[in-house]
Amino acid sequence: MSISGYEPPRETVKRPDGVEFSVRALTLEDITILMRNHYAPIASLFDKYVVREVALQAAKDGDAGPGLDLDISEDVLVGILEQAPQLIAEVIARAAEEPDQAHLVKLFSVGTQLEAVVKIVTLTLEAEGGGKKLIGSVMMLVKGLTSASPEDQQT
């Protein structure tokens, strides 16, 4: 298969009004843009949820293990929606390949947003080869962003 024939895997999300849209995994470009635009909330959420998850799994398994299961509970997702609604709206809009529609995504029901985020996270983890690889990739991006000048970073 050539590069031009590549189509990323997608999942369908159905809103309560019956309207459907599809989402794909986040790409490097998506993650980089989101990190540049929302560095502070992402860093806070990463510390609060991912670092905690890594520590819990390390305690359970003796180390982070090759597959690091980032099974994010609905309570955690609701917490993220409450703390960073603009970030979540932009994640969904980017994964739906309509990045300029985040303002409309914020109007979707909480249930629709939760369903979309779960599907995006699942697709992204599958694309990256698991949670441990995704965390490694994100950590490299964080390191690159934190070494950039403060003028380059937007919050």
Side-chain angles (χ1 to χ4, degrees), residues 68 119 147-148 153:
L68 185 60
K119 289 181 177 186
S147 66
Q153 296 180 12

Side-chain angles (χ1 to χ4, degrees), residues 114-127:
L114 285 173
E115 179 184 350
V117 169
V118 167
K119 289 181 177 186
I120 295 164
V121 168
T122 301
L123 288 165
T124 304
L125 288 172
E126 288 171 358

Side-chain angles (χ1 to χ4, degrees), residues 55-126:
L56 289 172
Q57 187 140 355
K60 182 176 121 188
D61 298 342
D63 68 349
L68 185 60
D69 179 19
L70 288 180
D71 184 22
I72 301 174
S73 72
E74 195 169 301
D75 290 343
V76 170
L77 287 174
V78 170
I80 294 170
L81 281 170
E82 290 172 352
Q83 291 177 22
Q86 182 64 33
L87 170 62
I88 294 301
E90 288 182 32
V91 164
I92 295 168
R94 293 195 78 70
E97 296 186 13
E98 297 187 54
D100 57 337
Q101 299 302 313
H103 65 286
L104 293 176
V105 172
K106 289 192 292 187
L107 301 175
F108 291 176
S109 70
V110 172
T112 299
Q113 291 184 49
L114 285 173
E115 179 184 350
V117 169
V118 167
K119 289 181 177 186
I120 295 164
V121 168
T122 301
L123 288 165
T124 304
L125 288 172
E126 288 171 358

